[in-house]
């Protein structure tokens, strides 16, 4: 419940494999934008749904872009 509207159930969303690349990026951005609010204030069911949906979308992203660009400035000696 991140938009202020009460819900009686949770939308499980479209299968990530059925999303166009732009839609996948939009869905990921939406999840990241609402993450902290859901973590801090969402009921357990909403948080669990967020975990599940994030995993689904990130798994699909990694399947589509296994050779994604890695910014050398973000790599540390530990990795």
């Amino acid at each position: 419940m991140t938009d202020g509207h009460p819900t009686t159930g949770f939308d499980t969303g479209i299968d990530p494999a059925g999303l166009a690349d732009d839609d996948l990026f939009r869905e990921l951005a939406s999840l990241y934008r609402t993450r902290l609010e859901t973590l801090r204030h969402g009921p357990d069911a909403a948080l669990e749904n967020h975990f599940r949906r994030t995993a689904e979308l990130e798994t699909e992203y990694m399947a589509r872009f296994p050779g994604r660009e890695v910014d050398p400035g973000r790599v540390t000696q530990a990795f």
Side-chain angles (χ1 to χ4, degrees), residues 2 11-12 14-15 42 50 53 59 61 76:
T2 59
D11 181 10
T12 57
I14 296 171
D15 179 359
H50 213 277
R53 188 64 174 163
T59 298
Y61 176 85
T76 66

Side-chain angles (χ1 to χ4, degrees), residues 39-52:
L39 177 64
R40 292 187 63 211
H41 306 293
D44 290 345
L47 186 57
E48 185 58 38
N49 189 57
H50 213 277
F51 284 145
R52 182 194 52 75

Side-chain angles (χ1 to χ4, degrees), residues 2 23-35 38 50 54 57:
T2 59
D23 294 329
L24 178 62
F25 296 140
R26 188 189 70 248
E27 289 292 314
L28 284 165
S30 176
L31 280 170
Y32 300 146
R33 189 176 53 253
T34 61
R35 182 73 181 148
T38 304
H50 213 277
T54 300
L57 292 168

